[in-house]
Amino acid sequence: MDLQAIVDEALDYADHYRGHGALASYIPALAKVDPNKLAIALVTGDGESYAAGDADELFSVQSISKVFTLSLALNQVSAGLWNHVGREPSGSPFNSIVQLEAEKGKPRNPLINAGAIVVCDQLIGSRDADAALDEILAFLRQRCGDRDIGIDMDVALSESRAGNLNRSLAYFVNAFGNLSNPVEEVLSVYFRQCAVAMSCRQLARAALYLAYDGVDPLTGEAVVTPSRARRINALMLTCGHYDNSGDFAFRIGLPGKSGVGGGVLAIVPGTGVMVVWSPGLNAAGTSLAGAVALERLVELTGWSIFV
Ligand code: DON
């Protein structure tokens, strides 16, 4: 298969949707991003990478970070994490508070905002917030072999200033005794992890362990156990796009995670990782042109977990 030709063709195909959808203007710093960006990166287990468009340009990873933090938290607290957060799709928007009351402050899954906030709290544990954030950054830098990966502080501050809904979720969870650290400490990790800036190529490289049963195929390092890698993929397939997860599984058929920065991560088990970026979003916060590009990539490669 000529993967470079496939990546080029998928970009061409999605080009028609360039600029479609809405920017995540509820975070003012994200409203300033050029809506016409479009990029694809594909990294395979032999370390080859194929890219088209703005694939080396940094963007705000937003909720894609939740997958990495979940990996670290599972390594830290093991199955005890599931006492604090569930594993069911929510069928609700990523920032919904509705289910939290009926379900007594236990978020449905670790990929919605409330769940990711609980995961941050578990990762902090008895340390301080900065230690947990340092661990997340060190992890991403090591996975990519790139020490320059960092946080866009403009975005982090903008998120915090506009963060009343996330604050409400965190206080609500806290009211049910499901946070062990102060709300603002936990949110300081959550906002900053969402504001990490990475490129499509870096994200694809970083997530390679999820395509290889938890082992980084380029370094041989066991990042998470095989069963954890499979379960993280299962959560991405069922919950990675919130109330759009079913449609994403239907159209693309791969475990994936969206972010309101316009990035979408897609895992191809045993083969590699694809990441697309285009800032215009559909109603569920998934990149509109990005999802089209992924759909085309899957059509052209035949890569689906349902083959
Ligand atoms: O907390 C928020 O609302 C954002 N920092 C992250 C949300 C997000 O990326 C949803 N994903 N598509």
Side-chain angles (χ1 to χ4, degrees), residues 26-27 61-64 66 94-95 113 159 166 190-191 194 242 257-261 284-286:
Y26 74 97
I27 300 173
V61 305
Q62 292 296 317
S63 288
I64 298 174
K66 294 169 178 171
F94 57 84
N95 52 9
N113 289 8
E159 284 218 50
N166 282 323
Y190 175 75
F191 290 141
C194 288
Y242 323 107
K257 184 73 210 80
S258 59
V260 291
T286 299

Side-chain angles (χ1 to χ4, degrees), residues 33-106:
V33 176
D34 177 356
N36 290 314
K37 294 290 178 186
L38 178 61
I40 301 175
L42 159 61
V43 176
T44 49
D46 54 9
E48 289 297 328
S49 72
Y50 309 86
D54 310 298
D56 292 306
E57 188 163 327
L58 303 183
F59 63 91
S60 193
V61 305
Q62 292 296 317
S63 288
I64 298 174
S65 62
K66 294 169 178 171
V67 172
F68 301 114
T69 312
L70 175 62
S71 301
L72 290 172
L74 280 169
N75 280 352
Q76 183 141 313
V77 299
S78 299
L81 185 72
W82 306 119
N83 297 326
H84 301 276
V85 63
R87 311 186 286 247
E88 290 293 346
S90 69
S92 299
F94 57 84
N95 52 9
S96 175
I97 202 165
V98 175
Q99 288 161 343
L100 274 183
E101 182 175 20
E103 296 172 10
K104 300 192 168 35
K106 183 175 179 180

Side-chain angles (χ1 to χ4, degrees), residues 18 89 93 95 98 123 126 128 130 170-171 205 207 285 287 298 300:
R18 196 191 278 267
N95 52 9
V98 175
L123 185 67
S126 54
D128 65 20
D130 285 350
Y171 277 106
R205 166 68 190 92
S287 171
V298 165
L300 292 168

